[in-house]
Amino acid sequence: MDLQEIRKELDKIDNNVLELFNKRLELVEKVAEYKAKTKSAIYRPEREKEIIDRLKRINKEHNGKLSDELIEALYMQIISTFRNYEKRELIAFLGPEASFTHQAAERKFGLTGSYVPIATINGVFREVATKRAKFGIVPIENSTNGIVTDTINCLNNYNLNIVGEVVLDVHHVFATTAANIKDIKKIYSKDIAFNQCSKFLEDFGFDNIELIPVDSTAKAASLAKEDSSAAAICAEVAAKMYNVPIMFRNIEDDDKNRTRFFVISDFENKQTSEDKTTVLAKLKNRPGALVDFLLDFKEHNIDLTKIKSHIVGGNSVFFLEFNGHKNDTKIGEILKKYRDEIKFLGSYIKEADDV
């Protein structure tokens, strides 16, 4: 088969795919009509996971050449594109554009989502609480720097639900317009990113020059673009967005550096077989309160995966996560027993056990 014949076959396939996409759109429109009548949620993560898992299974059964990762990336984009056709719901994320939170948002909702960058975590929660945005994306913890305090405080202060999570590998690049590394006199980045790249900075002697913390690594890239004596520690996507040449890649101390993000909204997810539940617990001030609380999880055979002590409004609270859904019988019993001490934050499909 020569090149022209191959191209003709590709054209036939593309024509068939286009026809199938149009048929899919007709069905999506019918689903949208049904959801509008029943006031059902447009975003159904359990249904999306069911679709992708089924396609991965079929691909393996037929010895398909597509990897699981490619199937997930491809169909998440297809699903999100058609979901946005149903209803273009606003997605607020901790900005600016090209930040890691923006990348997490696109990972969950695709490239065609209606995104709006918000300057603060509290602002993201406020946009969702006032219903100006349907979804919010905020960081909750990093494998190097731990829990994000502002997110915990907002989860406590707002009556919104966690409806999903995204775990993102965090890789930093060193970007500059300087022709020579010796010409660099200052480096811009977010304070956390400086901490995450401390060994790189030390190795190159950059710990002795001016390190300027800014609001985001994306802003760092934009500042480095305007100053040939400056560099930025930022995400690769930010360097490309602002057209700043990349001198070094993967400069973080920990090559397993990951950040977890929460998707927040105003509805609750249905049960699946792979759920995780997150709560805040404010236990009564009495001897043995925490021990008794944790023993109840053991007696109910609930897999408690995370417990972190935190101060909210001057009071000690516990951030807890465990496998299962709030409607599971054993979890429901715990939530009922401690209803005055637990704030339910959400049950959602688990993407990872931990960062």
Side-chain angles (χ1 to χ4, degrees), residues 21-295:
F21 275 157
N22 277 292
K23 288 181 179 178
R24 193 181 197 282
L25 182 56
E26 290 176 7
L27 295 173
V28 165
E29 289 173 337
K30 291 180 180 179
V31 170
E33 290 174 5
Y34 172 81
K35 287 181 177 179
K37 289 178 182 176
T38 59
K39 297 183 179 180
S40 301
I42 297 293
Y43 178 53
R44 291 286 304 280
E46 73 280 359
R47 171 59 179 155
E48 293 180 4
K49 187 176 189 307
E50 178 187 315
I51 292 170
I52 291 171
D53 287 348
R54 176 175 56 82
L55 293 171
K56 288 178 181 178
R57 186 176 64 253
I58 292 172
N59 183 62
K60 286 179 180 177
E61 289 172 355
H62 291 82
N63 296 316
K65 292 187 175 182
L66 294 176
S67 67
D68 283 354
E69 292 76 15
L70 184 55
I71 289 172
E72 183 165 354
L74 179 62
Y75 276 89
M76 278 303 298
Q77 186 59 50
I78 291 171
I79 290 169
S80 63
T81 299
F82 280 95
R83 186 200 315 124
N84 291 330
Y85 182 87
E86 287 184 63
K87 186 176 182 180
R88 295 193 68 82
E89 294 176 314
L90 201 62
I91 302 159
F93 67 92
L94 179 64
E97 292 182 340
S99 64
F100 287 110
T101 313
H102 189 191
Q103 293 178 54
E106 289 188 337
R107 164 97 167 266
K108 181 62 71 173
F109 292 98
L111 299 175
T112 59
S114 297
Y115 299 108
V116 56
I118 303 297
T120 64
I121 289 174
N122 188 68
V124 173
F125 274 82
R126 183 165 54 246
E127 292 306 304
V128 179
T130 57
K131 301 189 183 302
R132 285 190 289 266
K134 181 64 176 177
F135 302 99
I137 315 289
V138 292
I140 177 60
E141 63 179 328
N142 174 265
S143 56
T144 301
N145 299 97
I147 294 287
V148 179
T149 300
D150 286 351
T151 299
I152 294 289
N153 291 337
C154 287
L155 288 168
N156 179 68
N157 296 335
Y158 288 87
N159 290 318
L160 294 171
N161 293 313
I162 302 165
V163 298
E165 68 174 347
V166 183
V167 178
L168 202 67
D169 290 329
V170 176
H171 298 295
H172 295 294
V173 303
F174 187 79
T176 180
T177 59
N180 192 303
I181 196 170
K182 294 179 181 179
D183 297 331
I184 298 170
K185 307 301 181 187
K186 54 182 172 287
I187 304 173
Y188 295 103
S189 194
K190 195 168 175 59
D191 51 359
I192 291 175
F194 285 132
N195 294 335
Q196 293 173 350
C197 303
S198 60
K199 293 178 182 177
F200 168 83
L201 293 171
E202 181 182 350
D203 289 346
F204 283 83
F206 288 139
D207 52 341
N208 294 319
I209 69 171
E210 188 177 11
L211 304 180
I212 305 174
V214 292
D215 293 340
S216 69
T217 55
K219 185 174 182 179
S222 70
L223 291 170
K225 170 68 175 177
E226 305 302 323
D227 187 350
S228 61
S229 69
I233 292 176
C234 60
E236 183 166 346
V237 66
K240 289 180 177 178
M241 172 178 279
Y242 292 102
N243 197 28
V244 187
I246 296 172
M247 187 173 284
F248 301 104
R249 285 180 167 82
N250 299 337
I251 64 170
E252 61 278 356
D253 297 347
D254 183 0
D255 60 4
K256 295 181 176 60
N257 185 20
R258 302 203 299 173
T259 298
R260 185 162 70 118
F261 303 83
F262 278 155
V263 183
I264 56 170
S265 193
D266 59 356
F267 64 91
E268 293 184 4
N269 290 323
K270 293 185 177 180
Q271 280 173 285
T272 76
S273 60
E274 300 177 53
D275 293 314
K276 176 192 289 187
T277 294
T278 301
V279 301
L280 285 180
K282 303 175 187 178
L283 301 179
K284 292 177 181 177
N285 188 16
R286 62 175 179 79
L290 178 59
V291 174
D292 291 342
F293 180 69
L294 296 178
L295 282 174

